[in-house]
Amino acid sequence: MNLLFFAVFILFSLLVIRLGVVQIVKGSEYKKEVERTEDIMVRNGTPRGKIYDRYGNVMVDNVPLNAITYTRAQSTQPDEMLDVAEKLAPLIKMDTEKITTRDRKDFWLLTHSEKAKKLVTKEELQKLEANEELTKDDVNKEVYQRQLERITEKDIKSFDNNELEVLAIFREFNTGYALTPQIIKNKGVTPEEMARVSEHLDQLPGVNVTTDWERTYVYDDTLRTILGNVSSSREGLPSELVNYYTAQGYSLNDRVGTSYVEAQYEDVLQGQKEKIKNITKDGSVLDTQLISEGYRGKDVVLTIDMRLQKEIEKIVEEELYGQIQKGWQSPYLDRAFVVMMDPHTGELLAMVGKKYGKNSETGKYEMQDYALGTFTSSYEAGSAVKGATVLTGYMTGNLYPGETLVDEPILIQGSKPKTSWFNKSGRKLMSDLFALEKSSNSYMWKIAFRIGGDTYIPNAPVDFNSNSFKIVRNHFSQFGLGIPTGIDLPGEMSGYQGSSRKPGFLLDLVIGQYDTYTPMQLVQYASTIANGGSRVEPHIMKQVREPDNDKGSLGPIIYENEPKVLNRINATPDEINQVQRGFYRVAHGSDGTANNFANAPYDAAAKSGTAEAFYKGPNMEKAVETYNTTLIGYAPYDSPEIAFSVFVPWSHQDKDPYVNKVIAKRVMDKYFELKKQSEKEGLFDAAVESEVRNADEAEELQEQERQENIE
């Protein structure tokens, strides 16, 4: 008995020790393992942050939507999901237009299992199973593939409307992850549908009614291409960025920004997901625990002045459409651009691009937003670059401020005469200021001769230095011409550089008729001259703010975009001032090529440009000769606060209608008109910086879009 009691004591001691090891020594480790295998952490999405203009006008908002969701357990079988789909179908109306042929085939195999088995003969199945190189999974895949191939057209078109609705629901059930709510329907969900589904939730395991959101753009198509897009829950993550986003904790069906502002500031606009832990056993959910609450994304305030943006768009549309109607003058004109920027901070107040073309959906010709073309498309800029040419002459020691040169036809052996537009045969002595005012080509060509290390001799051959193109382009790049401006949006292009090094092309380069530039590069170049020589990086994001539940106010600032100087041009203040004076004479001189600004209530400085170009449409066998027209400038002259660029590609063929000059004058007039109006409204006061100015209008639009979705 003593031995027996001793043995029992030893066994109990071992049991106690073992329990101690399990609960105390390795308790946390085992708990983590259980949680890893049995408890699932789920992150539910939240609405994105809003986007505002510089004065607190809502540009992009979220519309609340009624939504019906489905969450499948890990152990849920297809036949169980089909049963739920069949019960849900009579309660809601589903869109069956997006059902694909593959969806129909998969659904047919599920609902006609006996017929599906007969699509593969016993002999075929035995032959596959006898193949030792194939695993069981390989056999099943091959059988499934043969079944898909052998389903007839009659089979997949045999579904009636009720079955198609079930298929549409079942199709949504199969997207997303297990234990993660998947949206079945969030557009057009009526209150009656919400009520019917709510009444039958006890019969619909996994189905729930909730609130979802949809992105809404308050100003319709205004700046639409710049604001970008957000993927739907079905589209989920872009395929090319799946690894990038999943590494940051995104789910495959998360909605993310797919282009421009929405994509560029995805990490800011994306909200903090709600974290829920599902307590599961054998694949079934026993309980849920809220780990942390979610909140919508942070708000982004843009530098854009939406009122100015809309007014400039209206001006560009009017002038562009009016000139397009004059087909005898402008047979190939279809687009125009305007960019306005603070030359000291780089804040973009307006980015306007309009293109007249055929709507791919309606087939009708209409005016389309092409604001992204301000930095993703490039064209020959013409004489607008001559300010950079003169400063390049100064910076390389090949010209001094005030120097006079002879404007005359340039005669190169074996080439046609090259002349200024106003001087086809004579010889005129002129200063650098008059050369800018009158837009002399010959003056710029003689600068090019000096840069190239050659002396101009009429009718003699030309032999420029091999690095002369590099010298000019390196100096042009100091102004932002031919290189990325640094704008905080994806997809910026640098323009195209001609590859030939023939001497004649260097002469074309210095008058803006060889390389191509974007409208954004031109406004950065104008700003560099306006502010005294600093190339400032343009940007569209002004601030990031915390979200505020009060619809009438903005949250506190958590980040402010500071001005960034990319470089200073290698010119003295006197040299820069000389070019500034030349630009002033362009806008005010009797021979100024943009003297339509002469009587403006503000002092402007400007430089116009006309470039020989070629247009080749999609159905044209060869390119035709045409002209691009440009105009850059800034105002006020003594204390610049706004710089602008106007670009009108393929504006005319023979007679110049001066569309560029008309647009430039009208947009600058409008800028100063709106500035006075804003001052009267107190928009520049610090007290209104946190106010949402169009909160009621945005809310009305939300309600209108919500009702349209229901209808």
Side-chain angles (χ1 to χ4, degrees):
M1 290 295 292
N2 288 336
L3 289 174
L4 179 60
F5 283 132
F6 180 73
V8 171
F9 172 76
I10 294 297
L11 291 173
F12 270 101
S13 298
L14 292 173
L15 181 60
V16 170
I17 292 171
R18 181 59 180 164
L19 287 173
V21 170
V22 170
Q23 294 186 358
I24 300 173
V25 179
K26 294 189 175 182
S28 60
E29 182 180 333
Y30 289 145
K31 183 179 179 181
K32 289 180 181 178
E33 180 64 17
V34 169
E35 290 179 345
R36 187 184 69 82
T37 56
E38 294 292 329
D39 299 342
I40 306 297
M41 192 74 71
V42 176
R43 292 175 171 84
N44 293 329
T46 51
R48 293 172 71 80
K50 299 180 182 181
I51 300 177
Y52 298 87
D53 83 338
R54 68 186 299 110
Y55 295 125
N57 292 297
V58 182
M59 297 172 66
V60 185
D61 206 343
N62 304 303
V63 177
L65 301 173
N66 292 330
I68 297 169
T69 65
Y70 177 74
T71 306
R72 59 186 173 91
Q74 291 173 306
S75 59
T76 303
Q77 299 300 312
D79 56 339
E80 296 175 297
M81 295 165 62
L82 178 60
D83 180 60
V84 175
E86 290 173 343
K87 292 178 180 178
L88 181 60
L91 306 179
I92 62 175
K93 179 69 176 176
M94 289 293 291
D95 178 13
T96 59
E97 295 297 321
K98 295 180 180 179
I99 295 175
T100 65
T101 300
R102 179 58 182 270
D103 293 330
R104 288 172 176 264
K105 289 184 176 182
D106 286 334
F107 192 68
W108 189 89
L109 291 176
L110 179 64
T111 55
H112 299 77
S113 56
E114 293 302 319
K115 291 183 179 180
K117 290 179 181 178
K118 296 178 181 179
L119 293 177
V120 178
T121 65
K122 292 182 179 180
E123 291 76 12
E124 287 179 303
L125 183 58
Q126 290 174 354
K127 187 176 180 180
L128 289 171
E129 291 175 341
N131 189 338
E132 296 181 355
E133 295 181 358
L134 298 177
T135 65
K136 187 175 181 180
D137 286 341
D138 293 335
V139 172
N140 291 335
K141 288 179 182 178
E142 181 61 28
V143 169
Y144 173 66
Q145 190 60 39
R146 293 185 184 186
Q147 288 174 331
L148 288 176
E149 293 172 355
R150 294 171 185 179
I151 296 175
T152 65
E153 190 75 14
K154 181 181 179 181
D155 290 333
I156 63 174
K157 289 188 175 180
S158 63
F159 302 120
D160 59 27
N161 290 335
N162 292 332
E163 288 175 313
L164 287 176
E165 294 235 346
V166 174
L167 168 53
I169 294 172
F170 184 77
R171 174 177 180 260
E172 300 299 332
F173 281 4
N174 279 287
T175 59
Y177 299 110
L179 301 177
T180 300
Q182 178 63 35
I183 293 173
I184 305 307
K185 182 179 181 182
N186 64 353
K187 289 188 178 181
V189 179
T190 65
E192 292 77 12
E193 288 178 326
M194 290 286 284
R196 286 196 296 266
V197 174
S198 298
E199 290 174 1
H200 295 83
L201 287 178
D202 58 330
Q203 305 168 25
L204 301 167
V207 175
N208 197 9
V209 291
T210 184
T211 301
D212 193 34
W213 58 271
E214 182 184 40
R215 215 63 165 150
T216 180
Y217 299 88
V218 178
Y219 294 94
D220 299 323
D221 291 336
T222 301
L223 213 63
R224 189 66 186 82
T225 56
I226 295 295
L227 294 173
N229 294 298
V230 176
S231 63
S232 66
S233 58
R234 183 162 187 83
E235 293 168 339
L237 305 180
S239 58
E240 68 275 12
L241 295 173
V242 167
N243 293 336
Y244 170 77
Y245 280 123
T246 53
Q248 298 183 55
Y250 283 73
S251 301
L252 290 177
N253 62 342
D254 278 346
R255 283 172 280 188
V256 298
T258 57
S259 58
Y260 300 104
V261 172
E262 292 277 18
Q264 183 73 15
Y265 294 105
E266 166 65 26
D267 58 334
V268 173
L269 293 167
Q270 184 66 243
Q272 176 64 48
K273 294 182 178 181
E274 177 186 67
K275 291 184 180 180
I276 295 177
K277 183 166 73 172
N278 289 316
I279 311 301
T280 67
K281 185 173 181 61
D282 299 329
S284 299
V285 178
L286 301 180
D287 191 17
T288 60
Q289 296 179 358
L290 178 64
I291 303 301
S292 63
E293 293 185 357
Y295 52 85
R296 73 173 177 86
K298 296 177 177 60
D299 297 332
V300 171
V301 179
L302 301 185
T303 61
I304 297 294
D305 178 348
M306 205 59 184
R307 182 160 55 178
L308 177 64
Q309 175 78 24
K310 288 178 67 67
E311 290 293 337
I312 295 178
E313 286 193 2
K314 182 180 177 181
I315 291 169
V316 172
E317 286 184 4
E318 289 174 355
E319 297 299 334
L320 179 59
Y321 186 76
Q323 189 59 37
I324 287 174
Q325 302 308 303
K326 302 175 182 178
W328 62 93
Q329 277 187 336
S330 308
Y332 305 109
L333 174 63
D334 71 343
R335 65 195 65 187
F337 305 96
V338 175
V339 184
M340 303 191 81
M341 185 173 95
D342 185 321
H344 300 285
T345 66
E347 292 186 356
L348 292 162
L349 277 68
M351 297 172 62
V352 176
K354 290 294 176 180
K355 182 165 64 173
Y356 187 74
K358 183 184 291 187
N359 186 310
S360 59
E361 295 181 359
T362 65
K364 296 181 179 179
Y365 280 86
E366 59 185 28
M367 202 66 73
Q368 303 167 355
D369 179 57
Y370 191 38
L372 62 86
T374 57
F375 62 95
T376 63
S377 63
S378 65
Y379 315 88
E380 297 87 350
S383 299
V385 307
K386 287 177 179 176
T389 301
V390 171
L391 277 162
T392 298
Y394 299 155
M395 290 187 282
T396 57
N398 290 296
L399 187 72
Y400 61 85
E403 184 172 359
T404 57
L405 298 175
V406 176
D407 181 292
E408 60 185 325
I410 301 298
L411 307 175
I412 299 174
Q413 187 182 79
S415 300
K416 294 181 180 179
K418 299 174 74 69
T419 69
S420 295
W421 65 274
F422 59 86
N423 185 15
K424 300 295 183 181
S425 58
R427 302 179 81 248
K428 296 179 182 292
L429 191 66
M430 62 180 58
S431 68
D432 48 1
L433 294 180
F434 188 77
L436 289 171
E437 177 184 348
K438 192 73 172 176
S439 198
S440 166
N441 288 341
S442 183
Y443 195 98
M444 306 303 149
W445 290 329
K446 291 192 174 181
I447 295 174
F449 269 90
R450 293 181 178 183
I451 292 172
D454 201 356
T455 301
Y456 171 63
I457 300 174
N459 295 310
V462 176
D463 184 22
F464 289 148
N465 293 334
S466 59
N467 63 343
S468 53
F469 282 89
K470 183 178 180 180
I471 292 172
V472 173
R473 285 172 175 153
N474 284 347
H475 284 81
F476 274 27
S477 69
Q478 293 184 34
F479 301 89
L481 297 173
I483 61 172
T485 65
I487 184 174
D488 54 337
L489 289 172
E492 180 182 15
M493 76 174 302
S494 301
Y496 295 102
Q497 293 185 349
S499 57
S500 176
R501 296 295 182 269
K502 292 181 179 179
F505 289 128
L506 181 66
L507 303 183
D508 291 339
L509 177 61
V510 298
I511 61 169
Q513 298 195 156
Y514 191 42
D515 291 354
T516 64
Y517 309 109
T518 67
M520 189 64 62
Q521 289 172 336
L522 288 187
V523 78
Q524 188 180 55
Y525 152 57
S527 297
T528 303
I529 293 176
N531 65 32
S534 296
R535 184 168 75 96
V536 181
E537 183 179 76
H539 60 272
I540 195 172
M541 190 273 282
K542 183 178 178 67
Q543 298 168 343
V544 176
R545 290 178 176 258
E546 288 285 2
D548 196 309
N549 292 328
D550 182 0
K551 72 173 185 178
S553 62
L554 294 167
I557 298 173
I558 59 176
Y559 175 80
E560 186 137 21
N561 210 347
E562 298 294 334
K564 183 178 180 181
V565 176
L566 300 175
N567 63 267
R568 278 197 57 82
I569 63 173
N570 187 27
T572 67
D574 287 341
E575 291 169 342
I576 298 171
N577 290 339
Q578 184 76 350
V579 171
Q580 290 174 341
R581 285 193 288 270
F583 278 21
Y584 182 86
R585 288 177 58 163
V586 170
H588 294 84
S590 58
D591 289 302
T593 56
N595 59 10
N596 55 324
F597 283 102
N599 297 321
Y602 50 87
D603 274 342
K607 184 69 192 80
S608 64
T610 303
E612 296 177 0
F614 293 91
Y615 175 85
K616 184 177 181 180
N619 300 319
M620 297 174 63
E621 294 183 1
K622 63 178 183 178
V624 295
E625 293 183 6
T626 183
Y627 292 93
N628 301 335
T629 52
T630 58
L631 188 62
I632 64 164
Y634 55 89
Y637 171 71
D638 292 329
S639 181
E641 64 182 59
I642 189 70
F644 69 89
S645 71
V646 175
F647 219 136
V648 187
W650 316 312
S651 65
H652 64 285
Q653 281 195 298
D654 296 314
K655 184 179 179 181
D656 190 346
Y658 301 123
V659 183
N660 58 327
K661 299 177 184 179
V662 174
I663 291 176
K665 179 63 165 52
R666 288 188 65 186
V667 300
M668 287 296 282
D669 288 349
K670 183 59 65 174
Y671 167 81
F672 283 101
E673 175 190 327
L674 292 178
K675 180 188 174 184
K676 288 183 179 179
Q677 187 175 337
S678 298
E679 287 174 343
K680 289 181 180 179
E681 295 173 2
L683 288 184
F684 302 142
D685 296 339
V688 300
E689 284 187 358
S690 60
E691 294 180 6
V692 178
R693 296 183 53 79
N694 65 339
D696 292 335
E697 295 90 334
E699 190 173 49
E700 289 176 6
L701 180 65
Q702 284 185 357
E703 180 60 25
Q704 179 183 341
E705 292 201 5
R706 193 177 69 83
Q707 291 299 329
E708 289 176 354
N709 276 323
I710 291 176
E711 292 171 4

